Amino acid sequence: MDFEKHTAAIQEPSLQARVSRLVKKKTQVKGVAGPDFCCIGAQKAGTGWLYEQLRSHPDFWMPPLKELHYFDRLWRSQRKAGRAQVARKEARDDRDIHFLDAMESLYAHSEIDLKGYTQLFSSKGTLLSGDITPGYSILQDEIIERIVGWFPDLKVIFLARDPVERAWSHLSMWVRHKTIAPFDLTDVDAVTRNLLRPEVLVRSHPSKIVARWRRYVSPELFRVYFFDDLKRKPIELRYSILEFLGADPEKASGELAADHNSKARLEKLPLADKVRSHIARFFEQELKACAAELGGPAMEWPARYGF
């Protein structure tokens, strides 16, 4: 499928901008204003798990909302306002209340205010903090460049998942939330129509997402992790992410086990073998691109479907 029809045109950053970023110091220091890291997704690839692990870890102060949606503007919707109200009721302390007050004030403005966004994280003190918003995976290039230019030391994490599994999990969530109407799970035409929804399609091409962000974030500040490892070796994955972020991976995240999954009991759509094969063919080129672009567990993805 033509991914580019549903995303903004990708442009190379100017040589001056690239050189400017290369000469900047790239070390992370606790206590620096603003977020220390940003997790840009992918949606349905373990970002909820990551938020829970970090929010319960003593080296972090995490916002009371998992997804801030500041740069993709979804924070302007009533749904996000509703989530903020829920977060206020569940605030753990005065720092959470301070964050939500500042967020409400900042989000009332239509233009992106990077200075104001920086101040949202003042509650962290000397702890680490960040923004986990999967919607940032599909930000336009000019916004990515603005973020990286303002936060030159920002560490960026992307959690990648097999496009076949990710897309089906996405559709399962939408049916569960009544975002879309239930459809015939055995009808490949109905499945295709839902896969072609722009919100599903643009999030199901991790090779392109990673390639775009890598144009702006220097290699030592960008990491790709895999949902496969969350399923197979969560202890090692948690350790690696915490180490990259500058936290102590030996410290526990409260009482949470490394494989804690608060969504394990959620209802998921059954996936028949015939439909699974159809979705795999739909994403065949992307599966192969992921193997080449992402490496790691993604190298196994094409073989899962006989490619």
Side-chain angles (χ1 to χ4, degrees), residues 45-46 49 160-162 165 224-239 258-261 294-304:
W49 166 84
R161 186 176 183 180
D162 173 341
E165 295 180 356
V224 177
Y225 297 98
F226 293 90
F227 186 80
D228 305 65
D229 290 331
L230 178 55
K231 292 192 295 184
R232 295 186 300 204
K233 45 183 183 180
I235 295 175
E236 290 89 340
L237 176 64
R238 177 184 179 275
Y239 192 103
D259 62 352
H260 175 74
N261 181 4
L294 307 184
M299 297 177 69
E300 305 168 7
W301 293 351
R304 289 178 183 174

Side-chain angles (χ1 to χ4, degrees), residues 3-49:
F3 175 86
E4 283 71 16
K5 287 183 179 179
H6 302 285
T7 55
I10 297 174
Q11 298 179 350
E12 286 288 348
S14 68
L15 177 60
Q16 181 180 0
R18 283 180 283 167
V19 171
S20 175
R21 284 193 293 276
L22 287 172
V23 299
K24 289 183 178 180
K25 185 179 180 181
K26 296 294 183 181
T27 57
Q28 196 72 28
V29 181
K30 291 184 180 182
V32 173
D36 301 285
F37 69 92
C38 182
C39 176
I40 61 171
Q43 186 183 45
K44 313 310 298 175
T47 57
W49 166 84

Side-chain angles (χ1 to χ4, degrees), residues 6 10 45 47 76 86 117 119 158 162 173 182 186 226 236 251 290:
H6 302 285
I10 297 174
T47 57
R76 299 174 67 179
V86 171
Y117 175 79
Q119 292 305 312
F158 181 73
D162 173 341
M173 178 184 69
T186 65
F226 293 90
E236 290 89 340
K251 294 179 181 177
C290 286

